[in-house]
Amino acid sequence: MGFVSKYVALEGGDGSGKSTVAEALRAHLVEKGESVVVVREPGGTPLGEVVRGLLLDSEHLDDWAEVFLFAAQRAELAREVVSPALSAGSWVISDRSYYSSIAYQGRARGLGESRIREINEIGLAGVQPDHVFVLDVDPAAALARQDDPDRIGSEGVEFQASVRDAYLELGESDDKVIVLDASADVSTLVGQIMEHVG
Ligand code: TYD
């Protein structure tokens, strides 16, 4: 298996349990003797953590400013963390990726998938996940589980439903995207992910 197939992104609506699955997948791979780097978006570099604050804690942000801030932190993360880790033979598990921008900004904000792909692909320069797993949940149930939603997580159930539709459509149209039922237990989800990546 070449290094390019070790970059795994976890996606899903707010409250879909990505972080729990990321940790379980990390533990599973480490157990098998693999080296693993886990990153989250937005975040993962000093700039990324500052941008995360701007993105999630601001009261209001222009939609395109939001797109470019997500893309800016992602470009730096790709170059400074993801690419070196993959070159060193590590797995990279990413809690979100530019597929979040496609679903949230492209679809739910209505800015268009192709423009979001284009903007992000410039900054990523080819450092893109090989496998994208969408943890599919009922948006209303997922929202009910969130006790302190951030600015984007507070957009409401219709917004989350639109995010979900985007992910389901990506599951049909994009070969990298696999949709999993997030109500399965974590070890089942890890097993399903390993079947696809292995
Ligand atoms: P995250 O910290 O993963 O939150 P959660 O645990 O609630 O899923 O993501 C923060 C928020 O940012 C979340 O509402 C999704 C949103 N987001 C975008 O809108 N576009 C993006 O490109 C990314 C990476 C996240």
Side-chain angles (χ1 to χ4, degrees):
M1 185 191 296
F3 75 85
V4 285
S5 54
K6 289 183 171 178
Y7 184 6
V8 176
L10 299 173
E11 290 285 350
D14 293 58
S16 54
K18 291 176 280 72
S19 314
T20 311
V21 175
E23 174 48 30
L25 182 59
R26 187 196 65 78
H28 176 84
L29 287 165
V30 166
E31 180 107 333
K32 288 175 47 161
E34 299 287 331
S35 136
V36 186
V37 172
V38 179
V39 296
R40 70 167 178 177
E41 292 193 14
T45 65
L47 173 84
E49 294 299 331
V50 172
V51 172
R52 181 180 181 88
L54 293 174
L55 278 162
L56 301 182
D57 303 336
S58 301
E59 249 172 54
H60 174 75
L61 257 191
D62 172 75
D63 283 355
W64 282 106
E66 184 177 278
V67 168
F68 284 108
L69 285 173
F70 276 119
Q73 61 82 37
R74 179 169 295 132
E76 179 158 280
L77 183 69
R79 207 156 322 213
E80 304 217 333
V81 180
V82 177
S83 182
L86 294 172
S87 299
S90 281
W91 288 77
V92 174
I93 301 171
S94 187
D95 187 338
R96 297 199 180 278
S97 70
Y98 83 112
Y99 282 82
S100 287
S101 284
I102 296 173
Y104 283 77
Q105 282 67 48
R107 175 64 174 267
R109 295 250 193 258
L111 302 179
E113 173 175 343
S114 61
R115 289 199 285 181
I116 301 300
R117 278 194 191 264
E118 198 179 338
I119 287 163
N120 278 277
E121 283 168 8
I122 294 167
L124 290 176
V127 185
Q128 295 178 23
D130 307 294
H131 309 275
V132 179
F133 295 97
V134 173
L135 301 180
D136 183 43
V137 271
D138 170 50
L143 279 188
R145 280 209 300 269
Q146 293 221 302
D147 26 281
D148 186 19
D150 54 50
R151 181 179 59 86
I152 299 175
S154 308
E155 291 284 353
V157 75
E158 264 180 49
F159 184 87
Q160 289 295 327
S162 171
V163 167
R164 183 190 191 198
D165 288 345
Y167 282 131
L168 296 180
E169 281 176 26
L170 285 164
E172 301 286 324
S173 64
D174 186 321
D175 288 347
K176 288 183 182 175
V177 180
I178 308 287
V179 178
L180 302 175
D181 178 356
S183 66
D185 52 54
V186 178
S187 57
T188 305
L189 290 166
V190 169
Q192 290 171 338
I193 290 170
M194 289 309 298
E195 258 173 51
H196 284 281
V197 301

